[in-house]
Each structure stands twice: as structure tokens, then as C-alpha cells.
Amino acid sequence: MVGLDIQGLVVRRGSANILDGVDLHIPCGGTVVVVGESGAGKTTLLKAIDLLISPAEGVMSINGLKYWEGQRVLVRPEAIRGDIGFVFQEINLVPHLTALENIELRAKVIAGRSRVSAEMSDLLSALDLVGKEQRYPDELSGGEAQRVAIARALVSAPRLLLLDEITSALDVLNQERVLASLKKARELYPEISLLAVTHLSSFSESIGGRILRLEAGRLFD
Ligand SMILES: Nc1ncnc2c1ncn2[C@@H]1O[C@H](COP(=O)(O)OP(=O)(O)O)[C@@H](O)[C@H]1O
Ligand SMILES: [Mg+2]
């Protein structure tokens, strides 16, 4: 099956099941927005997909490549990292690297991939970062820093882009700019599947796609 496919995902913390049997399919080029209250497990879901935490049960595959089953990773984690871009809620650029160096660092880490990324200049221009390349993170506004983080996630030409509340720390003007830039950047990668989580209904409306609720560890239409 093309795109992201998840079946029966369970994540435990102590004795509680934070995720309790999540099924999710996002086709290539598809968008899913997961809404849920604070503490519902939205970040846990994204981290489990990116293998930043280990699920207790479930099967996950991207474009038919099964990379997690039960409690085991089935591919080299580095192999799957290049296929998944992650934009975190808290902006986490490397402080002593410029905007461009932050983006290039990821490109280097996943070097050797056979897939070709969009030209860096196209990516910077789609994300409205031209002229900001040499700035350090503390010289960027929150919105600019988040756009750098999106460029960093996309530079590996991932198959799946995970967005964790990327606009919740921004004012309304910057929220709109980030979403407009995201839309342009995405046109460079028409095949990418996108999974965004948010507690803001305004975000889910403006990004489009299918909206699911995360409640009691499961996804609902
Ligand atoms: N590192 C952790 N250790 C233990 N429990 C955690 C940890 N991170 C999150 N949790 C718990 O997991 C649940 C889901 O958290 P999270 O995925 O961050 O929710 P959301 O992103 O929807 O706000 C919460 O009950 C939270 O307290
Ligand atoms: Mg969260």
C-alpha cells in the first residue's frame, strides 16, 4: 500500500496505554489532521511513527516498506529517518548554526539517499527564507524559525511529513505565513503524505485534508 499505513498501534507509559490501537492510512499526497486535547497523545503518536519512542504493539509501513512490527524495528533507523520529516512543537534549531547550516546539516546526515531533493534555492524561496540564510536562530522570529524547521524537515525529500502543533506558539499573522509557506513548499513534493496534529480547530480548517479526533488513545472520524 502506498503512503503511510499503521495498524493496531499501542504505546504504553507505565501501565497506561497512551495509544490504544491506532489505525491510520494516509495515501501519497494525502493530508490528515489529528485534533485532540492537550494530553490526548498527539505528540506521542508522531514520535512513535518516527521511532523516537518504541511502540508496544502494531505494524507501520511507508510505501509498502514495513519498518516496525510488534516491538521491533525492521530496517536501519537511519533508513526510515530520511523518509520521515518531523517539525517539532518547540522550535529546536541548533543555536550555533545559521539557518542554512541547520538545513544543510540534515541534508548531510541523510546523504547517500538516492532520492533527489528539490533545489535548496526553490525550498528557501517557497518558505520565504531568501535573505535569511545567514541568520542564527536567535536572529529569527518565531515564524521564520519554524519555516527553517520546515525546510530542514523537507530537505531529505521525505515520504512523510509530521507536524506537531507548528503554529501554536505563533501570533495570527505568523500562523498564516507559516501555513502559506507550507503550502508552497509542499508543491515541490507532490507525493508527500502529511500528518499534522493540533489542538487548534483554526489550523485544521486552513490546512485542509481529512480531520480525525484522537480520544482515549484511538482515532475517530
Ligand atoms: N516522557 C513521558 N513520560 C511519561 N508520560 C508521558 C511522557 N510524555 C507524555 N506523557 C504522557 O502521555 C500522555 C500524552 O502526552 P502527549 O502525547 O504529549 O499529548 P499531547 O501531545 O496530545 O498533548 C499524557 O498523559 C502525558 O502526560
Ligand atoms: Mg503535544
Side-chain angles (χ1 to χ4, degrees):
M1 191 160 353
V2 296
L4 172 71
D5 196 59
I6 297 179
Q7 284 167 27
L9 189 69
V10 174
V11 172
R12 275 188 203 114
R13 301 261 201 213
S15 58
N17 284 359
I18 306 295
L19 301 179
D20 194 21
V22 166
D23 298 323
L24 176 64
H25 176 64
I26 311 179
C28 283
T31 299
V32 167
V33 179
V34 168
V35 294
E37 288 178 2
S38 178
K42 302 182 296 296
T43 299
T44 301
L45 173 63
L46 298 187
K47 287 186 173 170
I49 293 170
D50 200 27
L51 302 185
L52 296 173
I53 54 180
S54 296
E57 289 174 36
V59 180
M60 298 194 280
S61 61
I62 291 182
N63 282 5
L65 173 69
K66 200 192 283 182
Y67 68 94
W68 182 269
E69 182 161 31
Q71 306 187 345
R72 269 187 336 122
V73 60
L74 304 178
V75 298
R76 286 182 306 115
E78 311 83 67
I80 203 69
R81 291 271 154 73
D83 279 337
I84 303 177
F86 201 139
V87 183
F88 297 86
Q89 176 168 13
E90 61 290 350
I91 292 161
N92 66 346
L93 301 176
V94 181
H96 62 274
L97 297 181
T98 64
L100 185 60
E101 287 166 345
N102 265 279
I103 300 167
E104 286 174 339
L105 178 64
R106 176 162 165 91
K108 279 184 203 140
V109 168
I110 46 98
R113 277 172 70 72
S114 54
R115 306 186 74 211
V116 178
S117 177
E119 290 291 330
M120 181 69 87
S121 58
D122 292 341
L123 193 55
L124 292 172
S125 139
L127 287 162
D128 208 3
L129 288 168
V130 175
K132 311 268 157 66
E133 298 91 333
Q134 302 310 326
R135 294 211 192 161
Y136 287 88
D138 67 359
E139 300 166 341
L140 297 168
S141 73
E144 287 163 353
Q146 205 51 304
R147 298 204 304 273
V148 172
I150 295 170
R152 178 178 60 180
L154 286 173
V155 75
S156 67
R159 297 174 193 280
L160 173 68
L161 181 62
L162 303 173
L163 306 176
D164 192 354
E165 311 239 17
I166 58 163
T167 59
S168 40
L170 305 176
D171 58 47
V172 173
L173 181 65
N174 272 302
Q175 288 178 15
E176 285 167 6
R177 287 188 73 182
V178 164
L179 289 172
S181 301
L182 176 65
K183 205 170 159 194
K184 272 197 259 164
R186 206 181 166 186
E187 286 166 10
L188 300 173
Y189 306 94
E191 296 286 287
I192 207 168
S193 306
L194 195 150
L195 174 57
V197 303
T198 180
H199 70 277
L200 298 172
S201 57
S202 58
F203 180 87
S204 55
E205 282 153 21
S206 41
I207 201 169
R210 187 171 163 218
I211 298 176
L212 299 173
R213 281 178 302 119
L214 179 60
E215 232 177 83
R218 291 182 181 227
L219 290 175
F220 300 90
D221 272 300

